Amino acid sequence: MFFDLHGEPEGDTTGYYESYVIATSDEMKGSFTAPFAGSHGWYWKNKSTTPVTIKLLVKGQYKVIGLKS
């Protein structure tokens, strides 16, 4: 699975975003503290022909702002 964890600063109108992790892996664990206010999220791309399930566990202060397909 290819993925990108990234963030976009709150109020920025330039289109700037910062990628924190860009990788291809079948498992990833860790923690993340956002370095600035704004939206932070993931992009996933299945590069295989086999269906995959992504299990994302989060805790802390956050707000779901929507899913993009």
Side-chain angles (χ1 to χ4, degrees):
M1 177 66 63
F2 171 83
F3 66 95
D4 174 11
L5 168 59
H6 58 276
E8 301 170 15
E10 185 174 60
D12 184 84
T13 59
T14 66
Y16 171 80
Y17 69 94
E18 184 171 340
S19 289
Y20 307 112
V21 177
I22 299 174
T24 300
S25 180
D26 61 355
E27 183 175 321
M28 180 69 68
K29 294 180 181 180
S31 63
F32 175 75
T33 301
F36 52 80
S39 61
H40 293 80
W42 295 264
Y43 168 80
W44 291 286
K45 183 175 183 177
N46 180 3
K47 292 186 167 188
S48 76
T49 57
T50 305
V52 297
T53 299
I54 296 172
K55 184 177 181 181
L56 180 64
L57 304 172
V58 296
K59 69 178 183 177
Q61 293 182 306
Y62 64 92
K63 179 173 88 172
V64 176
I65 60 173
L67 301 174
K68 296 178 182 177
S69 54

